[in-house]
Amino acid sequence: MHPCLRLPEVLSIILEFVHVHEEDACRTLAAAARTCKPFKEPALDKLYREISMLDVLKVLPEDLLEVKRAGPNRFMTFRRAMVLSDWRILERYVSRVRSLVSSDSTTGNLAIDKVVMSSLSSFCGAHLFPNVQRVEAFDSFFQGNFLPLAFGPRVIEVEFGNLPTNGAHTFTLLSQACPSLETISIIGGVDLHTRRALPNVLSDAVSLGFQKLKTFKIGTRLIIRTPSELFPFLSSLPCLEELAFYITPLPPYHGAPPILQPTRLFAFPSLQRLTLDYGGSKEVTSFMCSLSDLKTMTSLRAVLYSGSIHVGDTVEMLQILTKILPADNMLSLKLTHCFDGPVVPGLLDLLTFRRIYKFKNLTKLSFNLICSPEMNNSFIQELSAAFPKLESLSFYTGPLPPLSNHITMTGLATLLSGCPNLYHISLIVDFTTANNAAFDASPPTACNSRINRTCFAHSPIDDPAFVARHLVRMFPRLSDISPHPVKSFTGDCMWQKVETIVRKAHSARVLC
C-alpha cells in the first residue's frame, strides 16, 4: 500500500467522497473498515459520524437485544442484564458520533424501552455520546431518561419534532447540559401543558444558560397571539442572531383595520435574520411593533397567507417595516403570499412601495405579494436605480395574473443594465411581438452572463422563436426557463418551445 494511504488525514479526505445518505454507503464504509488496519479507524469514524440511536444499539451482542410487541407498536429491549463487557463494545462506537439523527422509515414503530436507557445510564455516567454536536430529537423515545444521555457539553444544535409530553423542562435541561448550544429548532407540535408553561420555563432556562444561543426557530403553531410573552427571555440572549416564528393569525375584524399599539418594546441589538410564517400582513405588523434596536438586522423573510390579505394591511406593514428596519444594513427582504383560498388582487400605490427604496444595499428582493404596484418600464428603471447591488429579484408570478403589468423586453434590458450582479430573475414580462417591435428593431446591448435559469411565469407570448432569439442574446448562459404553461389557441405550450430553442443554443455553446 502506498505510504500516503497510511496517513489518517489523507484517508479522511478520501472517505469524505462517500456520502452516508447514498445507497450502499454504509456497506462501503464497513468494507473499508475491514480492509486493513490503517483504514479501520477513519472508516469507522465516518460510518458512525451521523447515526440514529437504534443503529448505534445494533453493535451490541445479539443475545442481549430483542424486539417485543405492545399492540401495534414494537420496542427494543434487553433479554438479559447488561454487563461491563457489553458496555465496552458500545463504548468503542459512541465516542465517534457527531450527529444523532432520527431513525429512518424502515424501523416502523420501533421504539426503545426505558429499561435500555436506564441500563446505559448506569454505565456511561452523565453523557452517552461525549462528542455529539447535533441532536435530531424526532423519535418517540426522545423523552424521559434518554434526554440527559443525548445532551452533552459539545452539543451546538438541537432540532425537535414533537416536544415530549409535559416537556417544557427540556429547555431547562438544555441550558445546563449544553453550555455551547447555538441553535434550537422546534418543527413539530406540543401539548397544551407544555405550551402554557413554555414562557416561564424559557425564562428560567435563560437565567441558567443559553449564553451562546444564536438561533431560535419555532416552525409550529406554538406562539399565542401576543408574541411579547416570549420576548422577555429572547431579548436577553446576548448572542441571538436569528429568529423564526410560526405566527398565530389574529381574529378577523370588520371595517377599518385596528391601530396596533405595542404594550412594551423589546430590544434585539444582535438580531440579524428574522423569519415569520403563516400569519398575514397585520400579524407581521403586530409582531414588528414590539421590536426595537434592530440596528444589526440584515434579512427579513415573511410568508403571508391569503386568509388575512388586505391592501390596507399591506400598506401598514410596509410603513412599519421601513420605520423599524435599518436602512444601511438590510441585504435581503422577502415578502411572499401563499394562497389557500380565493383571493382578489389589489393595487398598491407606488408611493408606499417607494418606502423600501431606503434599503439601498439590498442584494435580494422578493416582493411576491398579490398587492403589488403598477409595473411598467419606468417602474423597472426606477427600481434598478434604487437597488444597483441586486443579485436576486422576484416579483409576483403566482397563479393569479397581476392587476397591472406592462413591463416589456425594454424594461428587462434596463434591469440587466442597472443591476449587473443579478443571478436570478422571477418576473412577468410582456413578450408579445407587437409590444416589443421597437425593441426588436434596435435591441440594446444589455447582457447578463451570470443567469442560467429564469422564471417568467404567466408572461404573455405569441412567437416562441422571437422570444428565444432575444433571451439567448441577453442571457448567454441561459439553459432553463421555469414558467407556468401558457397555452396558445392551438393547445401547444409556447413556453416549452422557447425552452427547447434556448437549450439547443446552450448546448451548441457548450460544445464550442
Side-chain angles (χ1 to χ4, degrees):
M1 185 169 62
H2 195 282
C4 288
L5 294 179
R6 297 183 182 275
L7 298 175
E9 296 82 3
V10 174
L11 286 176
S12 296
I13 294 174
I14 294 173
L15 293 172
E16 285 299 321
F17 289 93
V18 180
H19 300 289
V20 294
H21 298 293
E22 293 180 355
E23 188 177 358
D24 295 332
C26 292
R27 292 182 181 180
T28 301
L29 292 170
R34 294 191 293 267
T35 299
C36 58
K37 190 173 181 180
F39 275 48
K40 181 180 179 180
E41 293 304 316
L44 288 178
D45 286 343
K46 174 72 173 181
L47 181 61
Y48 286 89
R49 181 186 302 172
E50 181 177 311
I51 196 168
S52 71
M53 181 63 190
L54 286 169
D55 289 332
V56 170
L57 292 179
K58 291 178 182 179
V59 305
L60 291 169
E62 292 184 1
D63 68 318
L64 176 61
L65 297 173
E66 69 172 335
V67 176
K68 291 185 176 181
R69 284 191 173 274
N73 300 319
R74 300 180 302 150
F75 61 94
M76 182 180 289
T77 187
F78 288 160
R79 58 163 52 101
R80 62 171 173 81
M82 185 177 185
V83 296
L84 184 60
S85 59
D86 299 324
W87 166 247
R88 294 302 184 200
I89 295 174
L90 188 63
E91 192 178 26
R92 294 200 297 267
Y93 299 96
V94 292
S95 61
R96 305 177 191 272
V97 178
R98 298 296 185 273
S99 180
L100 192 62
V101 300
S102 60
S103 305
D104 61 47
S105 58
T106 60
T107 61
N109 293 324
L110 186 60
I112 299 178
D113 191 8
K114 292 182 179 180
V115 173
V116 175
M117 300 303 175
S118 178
S119 299
L120 293 175
S121 63
S122 65
F123 284 99
C124 69
H127 312 293
L128 179 59
F129 302 96
N131 298 315
V132 71
Q133 297 177 351
R134 180 178 180 272
V135 177
E136 188 179 278
F138 287 3
D139 294 316
S140 59
F141 57 83
F142 271 88
Q143 52 186 303
N145 295 334
F146 182 68
L147 289 175
L149 299 181
F151 298 149
R154 298 190 180 184
V155 172
I156 60 175
E157 180 181 356
V158 175
E159 185 175 358
F160 290 101
N162 297 326
L163 280 178
T165 303
N166 296 328
H169 67 280
T170 302
F171 293 99
T172 307
L173 171 64
L174 273 175
S175 66
Q176 298 178 84
C178 309
S180 300
L181 189 65
E182 296 181 0
T183 300
I184 297 177
S185 301
I186 307 171
I187 63 174
V190 297
D191 63 277
L192 183 59
H193 183 275
T194 300
R195 184 180 303 183
R196 289 174 176 173
L198 193 58
N200 291 331
V201 172
L202 286 173
S203 179
D204 293 340
V206 170
S207 65
L208 295 171
F210 289 161
Q211 295 305 299
K212 295 184 179 181
L213 192 66
K214 295 181 179 180
T215 303
F216 188 83
K217 299 180 179 180
I218 298 182
T220 181
R221 299 187 185 187
L222 178 63
I223 304 303
I224 59 177
R225 292 187 176 92
T226 306
S228 58
E229 290 196 5
L230 292 184
F231 285 168
F233 93 89
L234 289 173
S235 60
S236 64
L237 295 171
C239 299
L240 188 66
E241 296 178 356
E242 181 175 6
L243 276 176
F245 282 102
Y246 189 103
I247 307 177
T248 302
L250 294 169
Y253 59 82
H254 301 282
I259 299 175
L260 300 169
Q261 296 291 347
T263 56
R264 179 183 170 188
L265 291 177
F266 297 90
F268 289 85
S270 60
L271 189 64
Q272 298 178 18
R273 298 173 297 279
L274 177 61
T275 299
L276 303 175
D277 198 0
Y278 189 71
S281 300
K282 60 180 179 179
E283 285 80 11
V284 172
T285 302
S286 176
F287 190 99
M288 298 300 295
C289 279
S290 297
L291 308 182
S292 67
D293 195 13
L294 299 178
K295 57 187 177 183
T296 59
M297 273 279 291
T298 61
S299 173
L300 172 67
R301 175 178 176 267
V303 181
L304 317 176
Y305 280 72
S306 60
S308 52
I309 290 178
H310 189 282
V311 176
D313 295 335
T314 303
V315 170
E316 184 176 13
M317 178 185 69
L318 292 177
Q319 290 174 344
I320 293 298
L321 293 182
T322 52
K323 178 181 178 181
I324 295 177
L325 298 175
D328 296 332
N329 282 4
M330 287 297 294
L331 301 177
S332 176
L333 179 63
K334 298 182 178 181
L335 306 174
T336 302
H337 268 145
C338 291
F339 305 97
D340 53 9
V343 293
V344 179
L347 185 61
L348 187 70
D349 68 275
L350 188 57
L351 290 178
T352 298
F353 182 84
R354 283 173 176 163
R355 289 175 176 270
I356 70 172
Y357 289 173
K358 65 176 289 187
F359 307 127
K360 57 182 180 297
N361 292 319
L362 280 183
T363 59
K364 297 179 181 179
L365 174 61
S366 179
F367 201 84
N368 291 309
L369 301 182
I370 193 65
C371 304
S372 59
E374 182 175 359
M375 302 175 67
N376 50 39
N377 292 341
S378 297
F379 170 79
I380 288 296
Q381 183 175 11
E382 183 179 295
L383 184 79
S384 58
F387 304 117
K389 299 180 181 180
L390 273 185
E391 298 176 1
S392 176
L393 176 65
S394 177
F395 272 93
Y396 176 70
T397 56
L400 294 173
L403 196 64
S404 180
N405 191 306
H406 306 290
I407 301 173
T408 65
M409 282 194 274
T410 299
L412 183 60
T414 300
L415 180 64
L416 298 185
S417 299
C419 304
N421 297 323
L422 281 171
Y423 66 82
H424 170 75
I425 293 178
S426 180
L427 192 66
I428 294 180
V429 179
D430 184 350
F431 285 105
T432 58
T433 54
N435 290 329
N436 289 281
F439 177 88
D440 184 51
S442 180
T445 58
C447 177
N448 183 301
S449 299
R450 302 185 67 189
I451 296 176
N452 56 24
R453 185 175 185 270
T454 62
C455 179
F456 296 122
H458 296 279
S459 293
I461 177 177
D462 56 8
D463 186 345
F466 173 82
V467 175
R469 173 163 54 87
H470 286 292
L471 289 182
V472 168
R473 180 184 57 78
M474 288 191 288
F475 305 101
R477 295 185 59 195
L478 188 63
S479 61
D480 186 24
I481 301 174
S482 302
H484 186 278
V486 180
K487 295 186 178 181
S488 68
F489 63 92
T490 60
D492 297 327
C493 182
M494 288 188 285
W495 271 112
Q496 187 175 354
K497 294 181 179 180
V498 173
E499 188 169 36
T500 300
I501 298 172
V502 167
R503 285 183 174 178
K504 287 182 178 179
H506 177 74
S507 299
R509 287 192 298 270
V510 171
L511 291 176
C512 293

